[in-house]
Amino acid sequence: MVSERGLQVLRAIVQDYVETHEPVGSRSIVDRYSFGVSAATIRNDMALLEDEELITAPHTSSGRVPTDKGYRVFVDHLAQLRPLSVAQRTAIESFLTAPTDLDDLMIRTVRVLTQLTGQVALAQYPSFARAHITHLELVALAPNRVLIVLVTDAGGVSQRLTPLPVDVDEADTAVLRARLSALITGQAVSDAAERLQNLVAADDQTKDIALRTLSAVVIEELGEFRQERLVMAGAATLARREQDFRGSIHPILEAIEEQVTLLRLMGEMVTDEHGLGASIGTENEPFGLGEASIVASNYAAPSGTARVGVMGPTRMDYPSNLAAARAVARYLSRMLDEDEAGR
């Protein structure tokens, strides 16, 4: 069992190692912290922490560094989130104010988060699977080319330029718009897709080839709404921090490129009662990311909860990164709520 002082020694080791990048010895702890005990007593506490596999010695006769298990104890029980400075809060507000659309808002979100933390920033898009279609628009750009615009109540917008096998005029376009709108407006994304699939399948009853063509395209776009999406920024920071990783960063670069792994990891993370979570080092080995840590915060969207966070080496400033993720998530929630209220 680790004593209360031993846990505070662990906190000191984590904080000093993150700050200095150097293994932490008992003498430096005595010099920097007011424990009121001798270096020998601190060494005994450190020996107990090592027995519990919370710290380890990277080299013989060196100081100690936290293990992944030690970081987990620190995050769960010892970390104190640091309030953001006025400058940091101003940066969040200025970055996220007046986005042009949801895509712009999500891009701004990860850009400000990587600026605040110096890590790779990740943000899940709100899920549109449970969203409802609020508007469908057809804009004839040429006799045989139509722009399809779909809007959901969760802020999702799709635009697709589609060629038609036949020419249509403005009157035809208005009829097509009315027929499609009657089928899907007010329907959930999945229900709308099912209705259109039934229409496309009924070849004998549906002789209108333009309607079938447009329906097939709308079905594809609704399928995009149902897919999970992730936006990222700051991948270049990995090159600058490569020495902070214990092994190769190539699996991390591959995960960034493919996204599927990161989407699964972000989706399966466990968060606390405040919506904050961390997945540390070896906990990510099932995803091939045992060299990295991810911290995240839930944010509220009209269609449910999604997450925003950062990924970096296990030797990261967890309190500051968690605080930044939480602050950005709260502002993002507010922006989405105001957008929903303004609809």
Side-chain angles (χ1 to χ4, degrees):
M1 294 294 293
V2 180
S3 66
E4 181 60 32
R5 187 182 64 237
L7 290 175
Q8 297 311 311
V9 170
L10 174 62
R11 185 208 299 269
I13 292 171
V14 171
Q15 292 177 168
D16 282 12
Y17 181 58
V18 169
E19 180 181 339
T20 66
H21 303 198
E22 297 292 337
V24 181
S26 57
R27 175 56 60 187
S28 66
I29 293 176
V30 170
D31 291 343
R32 294 193 58 175
Y33 298 90
S34 302
F35 283 106
V37 295
S38 66
T41 300
I42 296 297
R43 281 195 295 273
N44 184 60
D45 290 330
M46 293 172 68
L48 294 174
L49 291 172
E50 196 163 7
D51 289 342
E52 294 291 330
E53 299 180 340
L54 300 177
I55 60 174
T56 188
H59 308 289
T60 304
S61 302
S62 72
R64 301 298 184 266
V65 301
T67 63
D68 291 353
K69 182 179 177 181
Y71 283 124
R72 168 53 64 194
V73 171
F74 173 76
V75 169
D76 287 348
H77 304 291
L78 302 173
Q80 297 176 340
L81 268 61
R82 296 171 190 154
L84 268 61
S85 67
V86 173
Q88 289 173 317
R89 294 189 179 279
T90 300
I92 294 173
E93 186 170 356
S94 62
F95 258 86
L96 301 187
T97 297
T100 56
D101 55 25
L102 180 62
D103 288 334
D104 185 35
L105 177 60
M106 299 305 292
I107 290 170
R108 292 182 186 211
T109 295
V110 291
R111 283 179 177 171
V112 70
L113 192 51
T114 196
Q115 182 185 84
L116 291 173
T117 64
Q119 309 286 356
V120 179
L122 316 166
Q124 292 176 309
Y125 267 75
S127 172
F128 299 120
R130 296 184 298 276
H132 290 72
I133 306 299
T134 57
H135 186 68
L136 176 142
E137 185 61 59
L138 300 181
V139 181
L141 301 180
N144 64 345
R145 293 175 70 83
V146 173
L147 177 67
I148 304 173
V149 181
L150 292 170
V151 182
T152 75
D153 59 0
V157 179
S158 164
Q159 299 184 55
R160 174 91 168 260
L161 186 61
T162 305
L164 294 176
V166 294
D167 289 354
V168 295
D169 57 22
E170 289 189 9
D172 295 329
T173 302
V175 171
L176 290 167
R177 182 191 306 117
R179 293 184 67 182
L180 287 171
S181 293
L183 276 173
I184 69 173
T185 300
Q187 298 294 316
V189 167
S190 57
D191 293 339
E194 184 177 352
R195 285 183 165 215
L196 292 174
Q197 285 166 347
N198 292 336
L199 175 68
V200 172
D203 286 342
D204 292 341
Q205 289 74 32
T206 309
K207 299 297 184 182
D208 191 334
I209 189 170
L211 181 62
R212 290 204 307 273
T213 301
L214 291 171
S215 297
V217 174
V218 172
I219 289 170
E220 290 181 7
E221 292 303 294
L222 293 174
E224 291 293 320
F225 278 140
R226 296 162 73 178
Q227 291 181 1
E228 291 188 65
R229 295 175 61 193
L230 188 72
V231 62
M232 290 176 282
T237 64
L238 291 174
R240 295 194 295 271
R241 294 180 175 274
E242 187 169 3
Q243 73 279 2
D244 292 336
F245 292 88
R246 295 165 300 193
S248 172
I249 65 170
H250 290 297
I252 301 170
L253 294 173
E254 289 175 359
I256 289 173
E257 185 174 347
E258 295 177 3
Q259 294 196 9
V260 176
T261 298
L262 291 175
L263 276 167
R264 283 181 50 221
L265 201 164
M266 289 277 282
E268 294 179 18
M269 285 179 66
V270 177
T271 55
D272 63 16
E273 66 273 18
H274 304 294
L276 295 172
S279 192
I280 300 170
T282 52
E283 297 170 358
N284 297 321
E285 284 182 347
F287 302 93
L289 294 171
E291 297 293 327
S293 286
I294 294 180
V295 302
S297 176
N298 292 341
Y299 72 88
S303 58
T305 299
R307 288 173 180 160
V308 60
V310 299
M311 175 175 65
T314 54
R315 191 196 59 76
M316 67 161 62
D317 187 343
Y318 291 94
S320 293
N321 290 342
L322 281 165
R326 181 178 64 177
V328 170
R330 286 177 173 176
Y331 201 90
L332 181 57
S333 298
R334 195 168 81 201
M335 293 291 292
L336 291 171
D337 183 60
E338 289 175 356
D339 180 66
E340 175 70 9
R343 290 183 188 279

